C-alpha cells in the first residue's frame, strides 16, 4: 500500500494561519482571488493544506494582509520549513496512517502513551521488532524477509525522535502483562527488558508499569496522545492516535478513519 501524501504539521499550521489572517483582514476567499488574479479554489487549497504553499504565494498573501516585521519573517520561515520533504517519504509503500503518525511524531513536543499489548515501536529493539513484524504472517498476510527488514529499518529510524539533540518527551504507561508476554525467545526478551531499563534512565523518557494486581482505571485499548508546542506563535491541536488490528485513528476535533494493517506497533 502506498502512502497518500498528507499535509505535515507545519503545512497545516501555515494553512491555518493564512486562513486566520485573511479573516482578520476582512477579506473573503473570492476577494483574495480577485486581488491576486488567482482562482478561489487556489485560495481554498492553500488555506486547507490541500496543496503545498509556494514561498512566492505566501509572500503575496502576507503583503495583501499587511503582515510585516517579525511576524512576516516568522511566517516566511514557517513556509520554508513546511516545504521540506519528510524522510518517511522515501518509503512509498508505507501505510498512510503510519506515515501520518511518523510525521506527527517528528513535530511533536511530547508523546503520552498507554500500551497494554506490546512494547511500543519507539522503544523496541531490532530483535523484538523482527518478531512483532514477522508475526503478521500468522494472519495470512505473507511478508517477505526483505519487507520485514525494510519495516524494521523504518522502525529504528522512527526512534530518532528520542535520540536527536532536542528529543521528544515520551511518557509511557505499560501494562505489566506486556513484560510477561513472550516475544521471541528468552534472549530477545532479556535484551528488550534491558533496553527498557536503560531508556527509563534518560531524562526525557518516563516509564511506569501498571501492576496486574493493582487498580485498573483504564480498561481501554492502547492509545497515544501527541502534544505540540507553538512554532512561530502558530498553534496546533493535540492529537490522539489509536490503532486496532485492521484500522487506525487520528483524532483532534474530528475523527479520521483509515483502514490498514497494524504497522505502528
Amino acid at each position: 500500500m502506498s502512502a497518500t501524501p498528507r499535509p505535515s504539521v507545519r503545512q497545516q499550521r501555515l494553512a491555518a494561519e493564512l486562513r486566520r489572517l485573511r479573516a482578520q483582514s476582512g477579506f473573503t476567499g473570492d476577494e483574495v482571488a480577485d486581488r491576486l488574479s488567482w482562482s478561489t479554489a487556489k485560495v481554498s487549497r492553500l488555506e486547507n493544506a490541500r496543496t503545498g504553499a509556494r514561498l512566492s504565494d505566501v509572500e503575496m498573501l502576507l503583503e495583501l494582509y499587511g503582515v510585516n516585521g517579525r511576524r512576516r519573517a516568522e511566517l516566511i520561515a514557517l513556509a520554508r520549513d513546511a516545504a521540506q520533504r519528510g524522510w518517511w517519504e522515501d518509503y512509498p509503500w508505507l501505510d498512510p496512517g503510519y506515515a501520518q503518525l511518523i510525521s506527527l511524531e517528528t513535530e511533536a513536543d511530547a508523546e503520552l502513551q498507554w500500551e497494554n499489548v506490546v512494547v511500543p515501536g519507539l522503544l523496541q529493539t531490532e530483535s523484538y521488532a523482527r518478531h512483532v513484524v514477522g508475526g503478521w504472517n500468522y494472519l495470512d498476510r505473507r511478508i517477505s524477509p526483505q519487507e520485514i527488514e525494510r519495516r524494521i529499518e523504518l522502525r529504528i529510524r522512527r526512534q530518532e525522535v528520542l535520540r536527536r539533540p532536542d528529543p521528544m518527551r515520551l511518557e509511557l504507561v505499560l501494562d505489566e502483562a506486556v513484560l510477561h508476554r513472550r516475544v521471541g525467545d528468552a534472549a530477545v526478551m532479556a535484551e528488550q527488558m534491558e533496553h527498557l531499563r536503560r531508556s527509563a534512565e534518560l531524562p526525557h523518557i518516563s516509564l511506569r508499569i501498571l501492576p496486574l494486581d493493582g487498580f485498573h482505571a483504564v480498561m481501554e485499548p492502547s492509545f497515544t496522545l501527541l502534544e505540540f508546542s507553538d512554532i512561530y506563535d502558530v498553534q496546533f491541536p493535540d492529537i490522539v492516535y489509536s490503532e486496532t488490528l485492521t484500522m487506525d485513528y487520528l483524532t483532534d476535533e474530528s475523527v479520521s478513519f483509515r483502514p490498514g494493517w497494524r504497522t505502528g506497533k
Side-chain angles (χ1 to χ4, degrees):
M1 183 184 297
S2 62
T4 302
R6 293 175 59 82
S8 68
V9 173
R10 291 177 187 240
Q11 289 171 332
Q12 293 179 67
R13 288 181 195 263
L14 178 62
E17 185 63 6
L18 293 176
R19 187 168 61 248
R20 188 191 69 79
L21 287 171
R22 176 183 56 77
Q24 179 179 286
S25 301
F27 290 106
T28 65
D30 289 335
E31 290 170 338
V32 170
D34 288 341
R35 293 287 192 97
L36 300 179
S37 299
W38 292 352
S39 67
T40 303
K42 177 176 178 177
V43 178
S44 176
R45 289 195 300 270
L46 289 172
E47 291 187 354
N48 291 281
R50 289 198 296 268
T51 188
R54 293 185 301 179
L55 187 58
S56 58
D57 290 341
V58 174
E59 290 174 335
M60 293 173 68
L61 288 170
L62 296 180
E63 182 176 351
L64 178 62
Y65 301 151
V67 180
N68 298 298
R70 175 176 173 270
R71 187 61 175 155
R72 177 186 176 88
E74 289 177 341
L75 290 172
I76 291 298
L78 179 59
R80 288 197 176 99
D81 289 344
Q84 297 300 309
R85 178 182 173 86
W87 63 263
W88 54 92
E89 296 180 65
D90 294 334
Y91 300 84
W93 47 266
L94 191 57
D95 175 83
Y98 194 22
Q100 183 69 349
L101 172 63
I102 294 172
S103 173
L104 291 168
E105 283 181 337
T106 302
E107 300 286 348
D109 180 60
E111 180 167 313
L112 289 68
Q113 189 168 5
W114 154 249
E115 179 57 66
N116 59 4
V117 179
V118 297
V119 172
L122 286 178
L123 293 180
Q124 288 179 7
T125 64
E126 283 193 37
S127 297
Y128 188 97
R130 184 168 285 105
H131 285 278
V132 172
V133 175
W136 297 338
N137 285 333
Y138 289 104
L139 300 174
D140 292 329
R141 176 175 164 82
R142 309 314 300 176
I143 301 178
S144 68
Q146 293 78 12
E147 183 175 352
I148 289 176
E149 293 306 312
R150 284 191 308 170
R151 292 183 178 275
I152 293 171
E153 173 193 329
L154 174 72
R155 185 156 307 190
I156 299 305
R157 193 170 181 184
R158 176 186 161 206
Q159 296 173 1
E160 291 177 2
V161 295
L162 300 176
R163 297 191 291 264
R164 65 194 185 193
D166 58 335
M168 181 185 71
R169 189 177 84 253
L170 176 63
E171 296 189 17
L172 171 64
V173 177
L174 201 62
D175 193 295
E176 185 185 354
V178 175
L179 305 181
H180 296 284
R181 185 171 294 116
R182 197 185 71 164
V183 174
D185 58 20
V188 170
M189 290 299 294
E191 179 189 35
Q192 180 62 70
M193 295 305 104
E194 176 61 17
H195 181 63
L196 286 176
R197 186 192 66 79
R198 292 196 308 269
S199 297
E201 294 177 347
L202 298 174
H204 59 284
I205 297 179
S206 170
L207 173 60
R208 286 170 285 180
I209 307 300
L210 180 62
L212 287 171
D213 62 352
F215 174 67
H216 285 241
V218 181
M219 295 291 185
E220 296 294 335
S222 306
F223 63 87
T224 297
L225 172 66
L226 293 144
E227 297 181 337
F228 302 85
S229 58
D230 295 353
I231 294 182
Y232 306 116
D233 293 329
V234 181
Q235 296 181 339
F236 191 78
D238 295 344
I239 300 288
V240 172
Y241 176 84
S242 180
E243 62 182 356
T244 63
L245 187 62
T246 57
M247 65 190 72
D248 56 42
Y249 296 89
L250 285 166
T251 310
D252 46 27
E253 294 180 354
S254 59
V255 174
S256 172
F257 168 81
R258 198 171 299 338
W261 287 88
R262 193 176 200 171
T263 52
K265 299 297 183 186

